[in-house]
Amino acid sequence: MAATPPVCDFGWKAVDFTLPATDGQRHALADLRGPNGLLLMFICNHCPYVLRAMDRIVRDARELQAFGIGVAAICSNDAAAYPADSFANMVKKSGEWGLPFPYLHDADQSVARTYDAACTPDFFGFNAAGELQYRGRLDAARAGAAAPDLRRDLFEAMKRVSETGRGPEEQVPSMGCSIKWK
C-alpha cells in the first residue's frame, strides 16, 4: 500500500543512532554527516518504488557527496515477515546496486520510529547543523519510469542545503510502500 510521509518539520534535529551496515561496520550518525549536511533515506530491497528509482538514487547520492553531503540508507522493514529485506539480502542488494554509501540495518525499528519514517523511500535531508531541511520526494516519477528531463527535487533541494543551509519552503512529500512494522 502506498504511504505518504508528513511535510518537513524544519529545524527538527537529527537523533543519534549507531547501526550495523552492509560494509561490515557499525555507523553512528556523526560518522555519516558530510561537512555540508546529511541525506538519510529509508529504503528496502523489495519495494517497487525503490527498485524503479534506485539508479536515480545512486546517481543523486554520488553527485550530492561531491557537494559535501553525507549519504546513508536505512532498511527498517520486518525481515521475518518480508525475507527479501533480511540483512543477508541487504548485503547482496548493496553490491548489485553499487551503493556509494552505507546501507544500515535497523532490525529493531527504533530508528525508523524515532524519525517517524512512513514509507520507502522516505528522504530526510539535514543541514550541517543537523537540522531537517528536506522531507520530500526524489522526483515526480512516483512508481513509473522517469523521463530524462524530470526535475530532480531531492537533488536540487540538497544542493541548496549544501550551499545555504536551508531547504526549499515548497516540498512535495515522497510516496512509496509503507514501512513493514513488526
Side-chain angles (χ1 to χ4, degrees):
M1 174 179 206
T4 305
V7 295
C8 184
D9 183 7
F10 285 95
W12 181 79
K13 294 290 263 181
V15 179
D16 196 22
F17 59 81
T18 302
L19 293 171
T22 58
D23 63 6
Q25 299 180 33
R26 293 182 63 78
H27 295 271
L29 179 71
D31 304 328
L32 301 170
R33 288 184 174 144
N36 295 323
L38 171 65
L39 171 62
L40 283 180
M41 301 173 275
F42 287 85
I43 67 170
C44 71
N45 301 334
H46 85 275
C47 170
Y49 291 86
V50 172
L51 294 174
R52 288 189 189 111
M54 189 50 69
D55 60 333
R56 300 186 320 275
I57 290 171
V58 168
R59 175 202 63 199
D60 288 359
R62 286 185 196 284
E63 291 181 25
L64 288 171
Q65 288 168 330
F67 287 98
I69 299 291
V71 179
I74 300 171
C75 181
S76 300
N77 278 358
D78 178 2
Y82 295 85
D85 293 330
S86 70
F87 187 71
N89 283 325
M90 288 174 59
V91 171
K92 181 180 171 189
K93 285 295 191 184
S94 178
E96 287 175 9
W97 291 332
L99 297 184
F101 48 79
Y103 189 18
L104 310 167
H105 189 219
D106 180 23
D108 68 3
Q109 302 182 318
S110 61
V111 177
R113 290 190 190 284
T114 298
Y115 279 71
D116 197 25
C119 64
T120 56
D122 199 351
F123 301 100
F124 291 77
F126 298 93
N127 62 18
E131 302 164 333
L132 187 64
Q133 295 297 313
Y134 189 73
R135 180 129 187 231
R137 66 186 182 185
L138 176 68
D139 54 38
R142 300 291 183 187
D149 61 344
L150 195 63
R151 179 170 164 25
R152 297 166 63 188
D153 296 33
L154 173 69
F155 175 79
E156 293 298 330
M158 290 308 296
K159 181 176 179 267
R160 178 177 169 176
V161 168
S162 77
E163 296 166 348
T164 69
R166 295 279 308 152
E169 292 295 322
E170 298 286 324
Q171 300 180 11
V172 178
S174 188
M175 187 173 88
C177 297
S178 62
I179 299 285
K180 307 309 184 210
W181 300 109
K182 293 181 181 182

